[in-house]
Amino acid sequence: MSQESDQILKDYYSRTANDYDKLQLHENDEHYNALKILLGIITDEEISSVLDVGTGTGRALLHINQFFPNINYRGIELIPELREIAISKGLDAEKIDLGNAAKLPYPDNSFELVTAFGMLHHVAEPQSVISEMLRVSSRGIYISDHNIYGWGSAITKTGKRLLRNFFGQRLSGLILTKFRGYYVTDYDGVFYPFSLCDYLPQIQNNANIEFIFSTKGYSTNLYKQSSHLAVFATRKI
Ligand SMILES: C[S@@+](CC[C@H](N)C(=O)[O-])C[C@H]1O[C@@H](n2cnc3c(N)ncnc32)[C@H](O)[C@@H]1O
């Protein structure tokens, strides 16, 4: 992340932390849909430890803990104000670390499952975060995030895919953001033109993708029609 975007992201979240839940958490939104499926994975795979990167105000860990009170959970969050809110909502302060997901302060294979909900589109180098998630997980990773190529009107979706096909991911991202590299908005702070689809090869090269699905609405083609996706991948042993 550039120093400028890093600072804008930090300032935005620090300033809006108290409004985060009101602005970002909506019953049955895409991440809650992803969480419903995650509960089944935890049950079926008998998962006993979870790390959530970019914990925010604790949405995922609180949800998991509500259904699995004995699970060994840990979170890591960049913004102190958001971490404080997560703790005030009931998460254990000793289990929520302050830190950067691009350099996780944990040994290899520390957690059975490592999750990320809506955080990867906020980082300049998602591949570093995914590498770290894979490194510290012993069983698998679970990611819920954007797919910009399936987002918008038919014309904008087609336009984004054409840009991607002609110029590649990095240059098309620069073109979409008018060469700034990222967007800055009142409702989501700093974020990048991100698609989980661009990172599926990295995930599949290092793990087995078990399934990927739309977390928002109907689609017959995930890449072209789904604005939000979730993927579950198990580690290659
Ligand atoms: C859209 S919020 C999602 C928060 C939470 N996962 C949820 O579902 O509500 C993105 C979160 O990622 C965090 N984040 C962004 N970059 C990060 C980084 N490099 N390391 C750790 N957390 C980061 C932000 O501070 C913010 O809490």
Side-chain angles (χ1 to χ4, degrees):
M1 193 181 286
S2 76
Q3 279 189 337
E4 190 200 18
S5 59
D6 192 13
Q7 199 53 51
I8 301 172
L9 181 138
K10 287 181 177 164
D11 290 348
Y12 172 82
Y13 278 127
S14 306
R15 195 175 65 246
T16 61
N18 287 326
D19 295 324
Y20 180 86
D21 286 2
K22 198 167 52 175
L23 288 172
Q24 302 285 343
L25 305 193
H26 306 290
E27 209 180 329
N28 296 324
D29 73 8
E30 59 277 6
H31 300 305
Y32 280 112
N33 286 337
L35 276 167
K36 290 174 196 165
I37 304 297
L38 180 62
L39 297 183
I41 294 172
I42 292 174
T43 306
D44 194 58
E45 300 276 335
E46 299 181 10
I47 296 293
S48 63
S49 62
V50 175
L51 169 72
D52 183 45
V53 303
T55 304
T57 58
R59 176 209 323 242
L61 291 181
L62 286 161
H63 197 77
I64 293 167
N65 196 236
Q66 180 188 341
F67 290 91
F68 301 95
N70 295 325
I71 206 160
N72 182 10
Y73 71 80
R74 189 145 212 111
I76 184 158
E77 170 53 48
L78 190 65
I79 309 295
E81 290 85 350
L82 293 175
R83 174 182 175 273
E84 286 305 320
I85 293 172
I87 293 163
S88 74
K89 286 164 70 182
L91 292 177
D92 184 342
E94 308 247 303
K95 296 182 176 179
I96 308 298
D97 300 315
L98 198 56
N100 192 333
K103 203 163 192 276
L104 292 172
Y106 314 113
D108 298 358
N109 308 318
S110 298
F111 307 92
E112 288 183 349
L113 187 67
V114 181
T115 62
F117 290 83
M119 78 83 63
L120 286 178
H121 67 275
H122 290 285
V123 299
E125 307 229 334
Q127 64 274 26
S128 309
V129 175
I130 293 170
S131 285
E132 282 291 88
M133 291 176 71
L134 286 161
R135 181 183 67 75
V136 303
S137 68
S138 63
R139 304 269 302 279
I141 63 170
Y142 188 79
I143 297 171
S144 169
D145 219 300
H146 293 174
N147 168 31
I148 52 156
Y149 309 118
W151 191 321
S153 67
I155 292 174
T156 51
K157 283 192 278 212
T158 307
K160 282 185 265 189
R161 289 195 304 272
L162 285 174
L163 278 178
R164 168 78 173 82
N165 289 348
F166 281 119
F167 298 110
Q169 183 196 349
R170 194 164 279 273
L171 189 51
S172 63
L174 281 172
I175 294 168
L176 286 171
T177 58
K178 303 189 171 82
F179 292 92
R180 192 175 196 183
Y182 53 89
Y183 301 104
V184 184
T185 64
D186 289 341
Y187 60 89
D188 204 18
V190 168
F191 66 96
Y192 295 81
F194 176 85
S195 169
L196 195 50
C197 294
D198 284 323
Y199 298 90
L200 295 178
Q202 178 192 1
I203 296 171
Q204 182 63 20
N205 282 339
N206 294 284
N208 296 308
I209 293 181
E210 302 292 344
F211 52 82
I212 171 161
F213 60 98
S214 169
T215 54
K216 196 169 183 172
Y218 172 70
S219 112
T220 54
N221 182 319
L222 293 178
Y223 175 61
K224 291 183 173 179
Q225 296 170 351
S226 290
S227 58
H228 296 78
L229 299 170
V231 63
F232 173 52
T234 52
R235 287 290 311 278
K236 286 181 179 162
I237 302 168

